[in-house]
Every structure is written in structure tokens, then in C-alpha cells.
Amino acid sequence: MIRRILNKVFGRTSRASGSGAQILPLAAHGIRRDQLDDCALKTCETLAQAGYKGYVVGGAVRDLLLGKTPKDFDVATDATPEEVRRLFRRSRIIGRRFQIVHVMCGRVTIEVTTFRSNGQKEADEEDERSTDEHGRLLSDNVFGNMADDAARRDFTINALYYDPAREEVHDYFGGVADCKKRVLRMIGDPETRFREDPVRMLRAARFAAKLDFHIDPDTRRPVATLAPLLSNIPRARIFDEALKLLMSGHALRGVHQLRAEGLHHGMLPLLDTILDDPTGERFITAALKTTDARIAQDKPASPAFLFGTLLWPQVLQRWRALEAAGEKPQPALFLAMDEVLDAQRGQLAIPRRYDGMIKEIWALQPRFEQRGGQRPFRLLEHPRFRAAYDFLLLRAESGEVDAELGDWWTRFQDVDDEERAAMLKADSSPKPRRKRKRRKPGESAAETQPA
Ligand code: ATP
Ligand code: MG
């Protein structure tokens, strides 16, 4: 009886798996099954009905514990990917070496992963090398039991398994307590785990920023020495992490956290030059703040826009240098844009699919200076006007251009045609005016060229 009461409050230890997981009841964690996404709940139920285990795991449990709304739900199971696929009509196996199953309900997709171990044991037994010379794991696609699965995860707060049927949390490494203490702690020996996968260092910085957690000193210690290992990671994976950090809703804190840990050399090396220059720092701070605010309001934030802002201080610098060397403004800008985009390929590897939009936003910037004649009207109709205008506001906010220019464009969009006509400025464009027939967009504003 007493044991039952104690279990109810403090939870019990899993004996079934013999693994020492604490099994915490609702009273100890507070996560009710109705807080789960329906699709995640249904996925776990279907697995259970078929005799398999099915737990919500990872970020979703952590976020619910912290009172945040999870952005997606992952499920872990002892069923193989093929068995999972057979259970759900709308599902498909993703990946070859490392198979996961996507289960779809409406527009929601649940990622179902089979319990895995980090492959160390098997490799040791077969006397094969499971890591490279820096300790990086070469294989992580070996099935295992639930305890193995928990041990291969990165941080204690990411190794929590929620059983919706019993509303219990299986906690292998004290993740619930760490959540309460707001501590980010690596599972196992931090140095070994960072060597196994150096991206975990970037994840540490991202989670610390996103959750406003403190990195446990033992976890943090090896990072300064191991940060250079990021150079062995494929650039595409680094780019994905950068995107997650910048789109986390806490980009500003994330970027500062990266720099404080010395990790930006391996991810966003351009931060050094940007943040050491006061205008650059103001510009990036404004850009990241706006992105964070948009994400907080559930508004879309565009990666191309964001990467455009990160690279802008370099573009500006090259643009000015080329102009000083005698190049005309427009060609100088285009040259600077190409140079900067090419130079980042080796470091940041922004995929080429973003190039088009980034360049359009940059190329429109000088056009905001032209406030006479038909030009402002044409710019207003440009499909990228909105993004380019938002970009201009950041430049104004950082003091790179006059605040008056940003204000002018804000007002120009707001007022009616008559007032717009009154706002037009004498055309200060240095271009010699060619005598040609003016193309009328069919509006009366065409007549209202100021003196
Ligand atoms: P987010 O809110 O950013 O999605 P998350 O914790 O769900 O956070 P994911 O990248 O979606 O992060 O990964 C899901 C889970 O997989 C993590 O919670 C963690 O348990 C495990 N995991 C992911 N990447 C790693 C890694 N590099 N090393 C160890 N475990 C990892
Ligand atoms: Mg996730």
C-alpha cells in the first residue's frame, strides 16, 4: 500500500527492462495524454494494439514538460520500420541506411523510429572500428532495446519517453529533474559523445538558447577544445543546423551563444567580422530580432531573407571597395553579390536554391534611393518589394541608411495616389536622362513629375 502511494508520487523503476529507468506518474510530470497531437496519440495506440511499444520521445516530451507547444512529435517503437509501415495505411519508409517511417494523418506527419543502439557494442565484439580517428561514430543504425535507445540520445532532457496509455514518463538519465533545474546535460561522457558526433556541440548551443537553459559545466568543458572537429562534418548538415538555430525563435540568443562557445568558426564564421563592426552588429541584431518576433507570432520567416541579412555586411563592404576602385554603383553591387555568395559556399554552403531570392532582395536596395518619377511606383509592384522593403528597414535601423528613407517608403505605401505624387522627390539619379517616350502604367501619377 505504502509502496503504491510512493510509486504514485515519485514513480517506480522499470523492472521489465532491467535498465533502471524511473517511471514517473502523471503527478510527477503533469503531461496529460490529451496534450498530445491526435496523430501521435493514434500512432502510439495502433502500435500498442498490435503488441508493440510506442512512446512519444525527444523534443515533444521535453517541450510539454516545459509548458511549451511542441513543434512536432516523434514516436519510438520496438517494431521494425517494415512492421510499422504495414500497420499504417498512410505511411512510408524514409531513408536507406537509417530508416524511419513517416506516418501521416491529414497534414500532420509523425516520425516513427525503431529503438536503436549506437552500434558500439556490436562493433567491439566484432573487433571492428566503430569510430574514426577523432572518435566520430561511423555506424548508428543498429537496432537495440529501449534502454540502448535512450543511451544513444544526446541530452538527458531529450531521452524522455512518454507512454500515453498510462500517462507515464520513462526517464533514464534524470531528464525530468534537469528540466526542472533548467540544465542541459550530456548523457554519458561529454567528450566521447561530442567526438562521436560533433554536431551535438551545435545542438547544445541551440537548445541552451532556445530553452534558456544553462549548460552543465562538465558538458560544456570539452567544447572549446573540440570545436574544430566541426570541420569534418558535411557542410549540408552544418547548414541544416544553422537553419534550425536561426529559425528556432531564439536566433539572437543562439548566435551569441555560438560565439560565446567559440562554435561559430565551424558554423557561421562570418559572425566575427559582422559582430565586431558596430553597424554590422546593429544590423544583424535587428534582423535576428525581427525573425524571432515573426516566429513568436507564427508568421512565416524566410531563410533566404535571413541568409541575405547575414551576408549583407560583406556585400556592403565589397560593394564600397569596388566603387572606391572606380566601378559604377550597379555593376559594383552585382560583382560584390556574386563574390560574397561564392565565397560562402566553402563555409556555410547556403544551397543554391536560395541564391535567386537573396540576390533579388540585395539588387533592389539601390532602387529605394530613387524616389522620383515612375520608379517608386514600379518598385512597389515588384514581386519582391515586401521582402526588399523589410530589408531596407533593417538597414535604416542599423544606421546604414538614413531613417528618413525607411520612413518615406513606409508612408509611400500607406497613402493614396494623390499624396504619393506629392511625396515624389526630384530625381537625383546620377544616370543621364535619355530622351525617350515615357512608358505610362496607365495611372494619373505619371503626370505628376515634380520639378
Ligand atoms: P527540436 O525541438 O529542435 O525538434 P528535438 O529534441 O526534437 O528538438 P530533433 O533533431 O528533432 O530534436 O531530434 C529528435 C531526438 O533525436 C532528440 O530529442 C534526441 O533524443 C535525438 N537526437 C537527434 N539528434 C541527435 C544527435 N546528433 N545525437 C544524439 N541524439 C540525437
Ligand atoms: Mg524534433
Side-chain angles (χ1 to χ4, degrees):
M1 177 68 183
I2 288 177
R3 189 183 176 135
R4 270 231 304 274
I5 292 170
L6 285 177
N7 281 346
K8 208 164 162 101
V9 181
F10 298 111
R12 60 200 153 87
T13 303
S14 157
R15 266 178 283 141
S17 62
S19 62
Q22 273 289 109
I23 301 183
L24 302 167
L26 181 60
H29 58 75
I31 305 173
R32 296 182 323 272
R33 83 172 65 86
D34 63 13
Q35 289 175 274
L36 298 187
D37 173 85
D38 286 346
C39 190
L41 190 57
K42 197 147 169 284
T43 304
C44 292
E45 281 170 1
T46 308
L47 284 165
Q49 279 157 13
Y52 300 109
K53 290 180 177 161
Y55 298 93
V56 174
V57 68
V61 186
R62 175 196 72 215
D63 290 348
L64 285 170
L65 207 52
L66 292 168
K68 294 176 186 278
T69 313
K71 77 177 160 39
D72 46 38
F73 286 83
D74 299 324
V75 166
T77 180
D78 56 352
T80 64
E82 196 46 52
E83 287 166 337
V84 176
R85 207 200 47 78
R86 278 201 294 267
L87 281 178
F88 299 92
R89 200 170 51 81
R90 291 195 57 214
S91 68
R92 58 166 184 255
I93 295 182
I94 308 288
R96 274 205 194 159
R97 202 178 64 83
F98 189 92
Q99 291 188 327
I100 55 171
V101 186
H102 278 177
V103 173
M104 276 113 20
C105 334
R107 284 193 303 168
V108 178
T109 299
I110 303 294
E111 236 172 64
V112 183
T113 321
T114 303
F115 293 148
R116 281 195 306 260
S117 86
N118 67 13
Q120 289 279 46
K121 261 187 300 187
E122 288 73 3
D124 289 348
E125 278 158 18
E126 289 163 23
D127 204 22
E128 250 179 43
R129 283 174 63 82
S130 60
T131 56
D132 73 4
E133 77 264 34
H134 302 293
R136 182 149 68 105
L137 266 190
L138 299 174
S139 157
D140 55 358
N141 198 24
V142 183
F143 292 144
N145 61 26
M146 189 161 151
D148 298 329
D149 192 72
R152 71 153 181 106
R153 292 179 185 269
D154 44 11
F155 304 103
T156 60
I157 58 167
N158 285 348
L160 300 170
Y161 297 72
Y162 180 74
D163 173 2
R166 306 174 65 118
E167 296 187 312
E168 288 175 339
V169 168
H170 295 234
D171 180 358
Y172 286 83
F173 300 101
V176 172
D178 282 345
C179 253
K180 288 188 178 144
K181 285 185 276 181
R182 306 188 82 80
V183 172
L184 191 70
R185 192 190 314 274
M186 180 62 91
I187 295 170
D189 172 53
E191 175 168 348
T192 312
R193 303 300 314 281
F194 284 134
R195 284 183 177 279
E196 281 175 4
D197 180 7
V199 169
R200 289 173 186 152
M201 293 187 274
L202 299 175
R203 290 173 59 86
R206 172 160 67 88
F207 289 127
K210 172 175 153 166
L211 307 170
D212 199 10
F213 270 36
H214 174 79
I215 304 178
D216 167 68
D218 289 340
T219 298
R220 187 164 182 236
R221 199 166 299 117
V223 171
T225 325
L226 300 181
L229 292 181
L230 285 171
S231 60
N232 301 331
I233 303 296
R235 294 291 92 183
R237 199 165 167 224
I238 299 279
F239 175 80
D240 286 347
E241 261 311 308
L243 198 58
K244 282 192 190 172
L245 180 113
L246 295 170
M247 295 292 166
S248 66
H250 300 279
L252 185 59
R253 209 154 60 197
V255 158
H256 285 283
Q257 182 86 40
L258 267 190
R259 200 162 185 238
E261 306 295 340
L263 287 166
H264 61 296
H265 298 293
M267 189 198 242
L268 296 169
L270 40 93
L271 285 183
D272 271 338
T273 25
I274 303 175
L275 294 176
D276 286 342
D277 165 59
T279 312
E281 152 134 57
R282 277 199 299 273
F283 179 75
I284 292 302
T285 303
L288 298 178
K289 266 192 191 159
T290 333
T291 308
D292 288 346
R294 287 186 72 88
I295 291 173
Q297 293 161 25
D298 259 341
K299 288 193 194 159
S302 140
F305 183 89
L306 204 52
F307 287 111
T309 59
L310 283 173
L311 296 173
W312 179 249
Q314 289 180 5
V315 174
L316 200 59
Q317 205 180 29
R318 278 306 290 152
W319 185 17
R320 285 175 180 157
L322 287 163
E323 268 194 295
E327 194 63 74
K328 292 208 174 71
Q330 194 74 1
L333 173 60
F334 279 78
L335 266 173
M337 290 180 353
D338 285 337
E339 277 181 26
V340 169
L341 278 174
D342 284 345
Q344 66 75 34
R345 299 236 185 269
Q347 313 174 322
L348 186 55
I350 298 173
R352 284 180 196 276
R353 64 176 181 279
Y354 293 122
D355 280 14
M357 180 166 169
I358 296 177
K359 281 186 179 182
E360 269 183 311
I361 293 175
W362 289 343
L364 288 178
Q365 296 308 310
R367 290 180 54 184
F368 286 102
E369 312 272 353
Q370 303 169 350
R371 291 183 277 169
Q374 278 308 298
R375 287 171 169 159
F377 293 95
R378 283 205 290 273
L379 186 50
L380 217 47
E381 304 213 321
H382 194 285
R384 287 279 177 241
F385 172 82
R386 185 68 215 188
Y389 159 75
D390 286 343
F391 201 92
L392 172 76
L393 290 187
L394 297 176
R395 296 172 63 217
E397 204 174 323
S398 64
E400 182 212 316
V401 295
D402 274 347
E404 183 271 332
L405 185 64
D407 295 343
W408 189 93
W409 277 98
T410 306
R411 194 168 131 72
F412 192 69
Q413 291 171 74
D414 257 8
V415 297
D416 61 20
D417 278 353
E418 205 177 321
E419 273 189 74
R420 279 184 185 164
M423 282 178 75
L424 293 176
K425 305 247 174 202
D427 206 330
S428 56
S429 164
K431 253 207 256 170
R433 302 290 234 34
R434 270 181 292 149
K435 283 244 186 261
R436 66 184 164 106
K437 221 172 154 209
R438 187 176 298 282
R439 188 169 56 90
K440 282 194 183 185
E443 280 168 24
S444 60
E447 315 298 325
T448 51
Q449 180 83 340

